[in-house]
Each structure stands twice: as structure tokens, then as C-alpha cells.
């Protein structure tokens, strides 16, 4: 939608009867139909002033690309700009969000990371270098809502592990039917003896045979 209502009436009115009834009503209002004293009877400017809270996070794991300054937009709600304590353990960076009951371990603590009021975290160049996160890289961020922590790592480090997990999710290969003759038990089928060969010597190892 345009930032100004100017021209919106013409845009919707041009759709004619193809537009829904609500859209045509809106077009009439914005074009000034039924206005008095040079002003529309309905003031729609308040639509842009309605307060809206941040939507609830639909996932605790997101993949974001670092901007030129190492900024990372995260699905967290921040009341004001602040600096968050953090620690680095190998390729993992753990950030402690406001209200977290935990703190960085002394031997792993690193520089605090800035968080602005919009929920954008800046992963500083020094921390990125220590964790092996290249500039502009894709970063996997996992939020723990209970501990109020955020774990970051370069997404490229997970490629090999993800490939193995994807292979494990595939259906197992069907086992081919046994073709070895020894796998199928042999059946001893003996033809009935007729009168013509009743006197012939037996080749069945002395076993009784039915004579019809």
C-alpha cells in the first residue's frame, strides 16, 4: 500500500466490478465521495498509528545473513538498546539475553555484543574472527527461551552434519529377495510308481513310497 492515500482511489476504482465490494467502498472513501467541506467523511490515517506488538516467534532456530557491519536481525523483543554478555567456546558464540539466570564462564567470556531496540545484534569483528565466522556469512541462531540464551555459529560448519542427517531420514533401501538356491529348502517330491515300474529297484534310500 502507498504511504499516502493520494491515487489509491483511482487505483482501486480502475478495477471496476472485478474488485471486491470492500475495495470499492474503500476506493469511494479515499477518492472523496460523499465528502463535506473538502474532507472525507471517514479518516483513514489512524490505520498507520495502530499499536502492534511483535508476533510470537514461530521457531527457535533461524538462519540469517550478516550485514556489512556484522548485524544479525533476530526474532527477539528488546525494550532498549543494550550490550549483552557473551562467551565463545570453539565455533559457538553464546549470548546471554536480558533476564537470563546464567552468565558467561570466566575462561570463555568475550566482548559484550551490542543489541539495538529493533532486535538487531551486532557480532563484532573480533568475535567473528575468534569463532571463524566470515564477513557476510550465513549464521545459524538458536534461541533457548527458558535459559534466555542465544547460540550462534557459522551455518557452513553444519553442512557435513546436515548431509548425514538427511541421509538418515531417507527410506531404507529394500532388501532384494534371496536368490541363493541354498536359501530355499528343497522339497522331496516322489512320483507315484505305476505297475510298469513297480518291480524296479528303489532309488529312494529304502523309504516307503505310495503306490497307486
Amino acid at each position: 500500500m502507498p504511504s499516502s492515500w493520494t491515487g489509491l482511489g483511482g487505483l482501486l476504482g480502475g478495477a471496476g466490478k472485478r474488485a471486491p465490494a470492500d475495495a470499492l467502498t474503500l476506493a469511494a472513501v479515499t477518492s472523496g465521495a460523499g465528502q463535506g467541506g473538502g474532507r472525507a467523511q471517514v479518516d483513514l490515517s489512524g490505520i498507520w498509528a495502530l499499536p502492534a506488538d511483535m508476533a510470537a516467534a514461530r521457531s527457535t532456530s533461524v538462519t540469517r545473513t550478516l550485514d556489512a557491519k556484522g548485524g544479525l536481525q533476530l526474532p527477539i523483543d528488546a525494550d532498549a538498546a543494550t550490550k549483552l554478555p557473551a562467551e565463545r567456546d570453539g565455533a559457538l558464540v553464546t549470548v546471554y539475553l536480558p533476564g537470563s539466570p546464567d552468565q558467561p564462564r570466566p575462561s570463555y567470556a568475550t566482548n559484550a555484543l551490542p543489541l539495538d531496540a529493533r532486535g538487531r545484534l551486532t557480532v563484532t569483528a573480533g568475535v567473528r574472527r575468534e569463532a571463524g565466522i566470515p564477513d557476510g556469512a550465513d549464521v545459524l541462531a538458536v534461541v533457548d527461551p527458558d535459559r534466555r540464551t542465544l547460540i550462534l555459529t557459522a551455518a557452513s560448519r553444519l553442512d557435513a552434519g546436515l548431509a548425514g542427517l538427511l541421509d538418515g531420514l531417507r527410506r531404507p533401501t529394500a532388501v532384494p529377495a534371496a536368490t541363493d538356491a541354498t536359501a530355499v529348502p528343497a522339497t522331496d517330491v516322489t512320483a507315484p510308481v505305476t505297475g510298469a515300474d513297480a518291480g524296479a529297484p528303489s532309488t529312494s534310500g529304502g523309504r516307503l513310497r505310495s503306490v497307486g
Side-chain angles (χ1 to χ4, degrees):
M1 299 292 284
S3 59
S4 172
W5 290 100
T6 303
L8 181 59
L11 178 64
L12 294 177
K17 295 182 179 180
R18 296 175 301 165
D22 290 344
L24 293 176
T25 302
L26 181 60
V29 172
T30 55
S31 62
Q35 64 183 0
R39 297 185 60 186
Q41 294 180 350
V42 179
D43 183 9
L44 302 177
S45 61
I47 291 178
W48 308 113
L50 294 177
D53 296 332
M54 179 178 289
R58 290 174 293 179
S59 175
T60 57
S61 302
V62 294
T63 302
R64 296 285 188 268
T65 302
L66 292 173
D67 62 18
K69 297 181 179 180
L72 192 67
Q73 186 64 50
L74 298 172
I76 57 178
D77 190 8
D79 296 331
T82 184
K83 287 191 174 182
L84 302 178
E87 69 174 41
R88 183 190 64 83
D89 187 355
L92 297 180
V93 178
T94 302
V95 183
Y96 296 87
L97 303 175
S100 174
D102 301 326
Q103 291 295 322
R105 293 169 292 178
S107 56
Y108 296 90
T110 187
N111 296 332
L113 302 181
L115 177 73
D116 64 18
R118 299 173 298 171
R120 179 178 292 273
L121 180 73
T122 300
V123 186
T124 58
V127 174
R128 295 200 308 270
R129 183 172 57 254
E130 293 173 356
I133 302 176
D135 295 341
D138 290 338
V139 176
L140 175 68
V142 180
V143 180
D144 187 334
D146 297 326
R147 294 182 55 204
R148 299 286 298 170
T149 58
L150 173 73
I151 298 178
L152 307 173
T153 191
S156 59
R157 293 183 174 272
L158 305 176
D159 289 346
L162 287 176
L165 291 174
L166 292 175
D167 289 338
L169 293 175
R170 291 188 174 91
R171 292 180 298 175
T173 305
V175 179
T179 57
D180 188 357
T182 59
V184 180
T187 304
D188 185 12
V189 179
T190 305
V193 180
T194 62
D197 58 358
S202 173
T203 58
S204 62
R207 288 178 290 178
L208 295 177
R209 291 185 298 173
S210 175
V211 178

